[in-house]
Amino acid sequence: MSERLVVIGGDATGMSAASQARRMKDASALEIVVFERGGFTSYSACGIPYWVGGHVAERDALIARTPEEHRSREIDLRLYTEVTEIDVDAGRVRYRERETGASTWMPYDHLVIATGARPVRPPLPGIDAQGVHGVQTLDDGQALLGTLEQARGNRAVVVGAGYIGVEMAEALIQRGYDVTMVNRGPEPMSTLDPDMGALVREAMCGMGIKVVGDAEVAELRTAEDGRVAAVVTDAAEYPADVVVLGIGVHPETELARAAGLPLGQHGGLRTDLAMRVRGHENIWAGGDCVEVLDLVSGRERHIPLGTHANKHGQIIGANIGGGYAIFPGVVGTAVSKVCELEVARTGLREKDAQAAGLQYVTVTVEATNRAGYYPDAAPMTVKMLAERLTGRLLGAQIVGREGAGKRVDIAAVALTARMTVEQMTMLDLGYAPPFSPVWDPVLVAARKAVTAVRERR
């Protein structure tokens, strides 16, 4: 007798889970139904800023697989259909067709919750005005482009200075906008330590972006026609023809919360290593709506990244299909860029190490991305954290020009392997003058960290 898999959400985790389950079981053994409240599936949300900025010419270039391709694999994909309730005891979901309003129940044998995350929209006056945009979905990106095409002027304010904020600041600069970034923290990129965030601020200011720190937004002032006109903080007012919210995201778990499913301290669903919701044998969850284990601190975190979401989907689909797979955790690696500046981090920041009760040393080195004598060599800064007594690598942050960002992968692998900074100094990395100095900047930082650890013993 055929079982039914119901998937809530048709992007990275949801469609990866559905596709992997279909590879392992045919339609006679497993019926697969996917509900997606929007009109797109399997797209790169991370690529939206580059589409808005013009690096990516067309929206459809961000779509990995179309609805038609999924349906051709015997997946019953229903667009513009929203799940409104999960009945855990009865093993069913209520869904509503957004176009007709028709609503009904569907039973499931397996349920995958892949509802993603939603942009933070603080309850401020004017937050819902025309011209104010969050950027999370392709529909969001399309709406923002529509506003940019119709805007009366070229003044843009980005509220928040996380990954989305800085990437959208770049996109707007490239579209010819006069950009102001307003951030409640002292420096942009709170995923970095403040001393490294200061490097990002200096570079952004050099690119013509006005960066305002320690600013609390009080209101989004509107014009008589209801369109946004300015962002008002506790100290100043910044005129705006368009406002982009880059404050961050929350796990989209209201359905799960209402159903009584377990949530963590960050609001994300709690799962076991197989991505099964804790305490529920036939309910699975992954992507931006879950919390994951930090392998360095041992704590659970909410890290909304497409890399994790796709892995979660593969693991869920394999397990539902009768196989076996687990997701061991993350080290918190991320990379971004603002124009020519590359920004990367992995592992713990100083405040993360303090919160985990770890004693540590920090070192910072200035180096170049290529041999100093090679044409176009550019500066880069590497900061490294190591455990005080053991010398175990705890984290690394890198800010620099071309070739700087992906160097963080060296540290990410070292963190996963629980290497010490002394072990890192002997890593056999590739070398040629066009690519790095004879001692790669990451290894220079590791050598300096070895000295700092020995001095603190």
Side-chain angles (χ1 to χ4, degrees):
M1 182 178 176
S2 174
E3 295 184 323
R4 176 182 287 152
L5 164 61
V6 170
V7 180
I8 308 174
D11 197 12
T13 297
M15 296 317 305
S16 292
S19 298
Q20 181 64 16
R22 173 56 73 230
R23 292 186 193 102
M24 301 185 71
K25 285 189 175 182
D26 63 29
S28 64
L30 183 68
E31 178 190 2
I32 302 176
V33 181
V34 179
F35 294 114
E36 166 54 46
R37 64 184 177 185
F40 304 97
T41 60
S42 299
Y43 60 87
S44 172
C46 300
I48 293 173
Y50 309 110
W51 168 39
V52 173
H55 287 294
V56 177
E58 297 180 355
R59 178 199 65 198
D60 289 355
L62 301 180
I63 299 174
R65 282 189 180 175
T66 65
E68 291 71 27
E69 289 175 303
H70 287 300
R71 289 169 181 146
S72 72
R73 293 171 171 83
E74 298 184 287
I75 295 173
D76 182 0
L77 172 60
R78 306 188 187 188
L79 300 177
Y80 302 109
T81 307
E82 183 174 12
V83 173
T84 58
E85 186 178 350
I86 302 170
D87 185 342
V88 173
D89 293 333
R92 60 180 186 168
V93 299
R94 182 192 289 274
Y95 66 92
R96 178 176 63 86
E97 297 175 1
R98 297 181 66 183
E99 293 182 352
T100 66
S103 179
T104 190
W105 289 96
M106 176 178 288
Y108 62 80
D109 297 289
H110 304 278
L111 176 66
V112 175
I113 302 174
T115 46
R118 65 182 184 279
V120 174
R121 295 183 76 93
L124 297 171
I127 195 70
D128 295 320
Q130 286 183 292
V132 180
H133 295 270
V135 184
Q136 185 70 11
T137 68
L138 286 186
D139 291 311
D140 294 337
Q142 192 72 67
L144 174 57
L145 283 171
T147 292
L148 296 177
E149 290 168 0
Q150 299 172 10
R152 300 168 182 169
N154 69 334
R155 300 167 300 179
V157 176
V158 178
V159 179
Y163 293 110
I164 290 295
V166 298
E167 289 169 356
M168 290 309 305
E170 174 187 1
L172 292 164
I173 278 282
Q174 290 173 336
R175 291 185 68 91
Y177 275 74
D178 180 9
V179 179
T180 300
M181 172 174 283
V182 177
N183 185 39
R184 68 186 305 177
E187 303 291 356
M189 303 293 289
S190 63
T191 52
L192 305 176
D193 286 324
D195 54 337
M196 297 295 282
L199 300 178
V200 178
R201 172 178 49 78
E202 292 168 6
M204 292 179 72
C205 290
M207 297 167 191
I209 299 170
K210 182 177 182 179
V211 182
V212 182
D214 291 320
E216 191 73 38
V217 176
E219 177 188 0
L220 277 67
R221 188 169 58 78
T222 56
E224 291 183 1
D225 62 359
R227 296 186 61 84
V228 69
V231 173
V232 181
T233 72
D234 48 4
E237 181 175 308
Y238 303 96
D241 300 296
V242 62
V243 172
V244 176
L245 303 177
I247 307 171
V249 296
H250 284 314
E252 183 62 87
T253 51
E254 288 308 308
L255 271 177
R257 185 188 302 277
L261 298 176
L263 305 182
Q265 64 175 335
H266 306 288
L269 277 155
R270 303 188 71 193
T271 66
D272 61 19
L273 293 177
M275 304 309 299
R276 183 186 287 109
V277 173
R278 296 184 188 182
H280 298 270
E281 285 296 314
N282 63 339
I283 303 179
W284 315 74
D288 294 356
C289 66
V290 305
E291 296 185 9
V292 293
L293 176 65
D294 185 319
L295 296 174
V296 186
S297 70
R299 298 183 166 198
E300 289 188 340
R301 299 174 60 189
H302 178 239
I303 305 180
L305 288 174
T307 50
H308 306 159
N310 280 283
K311 292 171 188 173
H312 293 168
Q314 289 285 316
I315 290 163
I316 292 168
N319 288 323
I320 291 174
Y324 171 68
I326 63 170
F327 185 77
V330 303
V331 294
T333 308
V335 63
S336 186
K337 78 178 198 70
V338 191
C339 297
E340 300 304 318
L341 185 73
E342 299 181 3
V343 183
R345 55 96 63 206
T346 189
L348 307 183
R349 300 163 296 180
E350 290 195 51
K351 68 178 183 180
D352 299 325
Q354 292 165 7
L358 295 167
Q359 294 188 12
Y360 61 93
V361 300
T362 68
V363 297
T364 302
V365 300
E366 306 289 338
T368 54
N369 59 343
R370 301 181 173 94
Y373 57 80
Y374 194 85
D376 298 323
M380 61 183 291
T381 303
V382 181
K383 180 175 182 177
M384 194 167 282
L385 280 72
E387 193 171 16
R388 177 184 167 192
L389 294 180
T390 67
R392 175 171 67 106
L393 178 68
L394 296 179
Q397 300 166 35
I398 302 174
V399 176
R401 303 288 167 167
E402 181 185 358
K406 285 295 283 180
R407 275 183 165 91
V408 79
D409 289 342
I410 304 168
V413 172
L415 283 167
T416 304
R418 297 183 65 86
M419 294 178 69
T420 66
V421 286
E422 188 163 5
Q423 290 172 325
M424 288 182 67
T425 63
M426 291 296 113
L427 287 173
D428 186 10
L429 304 182
Y431 159 69
F435 304 108
S436 81
V438 66
W439 278 94
D440 189 272
V442 173
L443 300 191
V444 174
R447 290 177 64 186
K448 189 172 180 180
V450 170
T451 301
V453 168
R454 289 172 178 168
E455 290 174 348
R456 292 284 302 276
R457 281 175 177 162

